[in-house]
Amino acid sequence: MVVEDKVDCGCPIHRTHGLPCAHEIAPFKNRGEPIPLSLIDDHWKILTLEKRKVDGAILKIMNANWNFFMGKMVGQNVMTHIHWMKTLKPILNPSTTSLSLTQQKV
């Protein structure tokens, strides 16, 4: 029996990953049919190696985070600004960090 509604299935793989469970796949395998794409969450249907354009929703989130950060910067002393910039620089530009990969397995 195929579960028609994703809400009906209580299997963890279905709830956490949006992929069909073994009991949903079995009937299609037995009949030699492909698994319908409707059983797979849309997340898994997007495959691209190209850079994606940033959509409006992401830009709003980024702007909100930037405004939050800048609001926190206002009124802080110079030493706090220096500390924050030293912390952010390796994150934004990893080549500026002094950390390196270990040469031997630990």
Side-chain angles (χ1 to χ4, degrees):
M1 176 179 170
V2 176
V3 177
E4 294 297 325
D5 190 359
K6 291 181 181 184
V7 178
D8 293 342
C9 181
C11 294
I13 191 78
H14 198 77
R15 284 183 290 130
T16 60
H17 292 78
L19 295 171
C21 304
H23 69 272
E24 294 176 292
I25 295 172
F28 298 103
K29 184 177 179 184
N30 292 339
R31 293 190 302 258
E33 297 174 0
I35 300 167
L37 288 178
S38 62
L39 293 180
I40 299 172
D41 190 87
D42 289 339
H43 168 78
W44 301 109
K45 297 175 189 175
I46 301 170
L47 176 62
T48 180
L49 299 176
E50 297 175 6
K51 289 185 178 180
R52 293 188 343 188
K53 291 181 181 178
V54 179
D55 66 12
I58 298 296
L59 282 176
K60 285 181 183 179
I61 293 168
M62 290 169 59
N63 283 331
N65 286 329
W66 175 254
N67 291 335
F68 173 78
F69 175 73
M70 292 307 292
K72 292 291 185 180
M73 290 285 281
V74 173
Q76 297 295 330
N77 62 43
V78 174
M79 293 307 293
T80 301
H81 286 199
I82 292 169
H83 171 71
W84 285 356
M85 295 318 294
K86 283 183 178 178
T87 303
L88 288 174
K89 191 173 182 180
I91 295 169
L92 299 174
N93 188 3
S95 66
T96 62
T97 183
S98 61
L99 298 175
S100 62
L101 294 173
T102 57
Q103 298 303 317
Q104 77 182 77
K105 293 183 179 180
V106 179

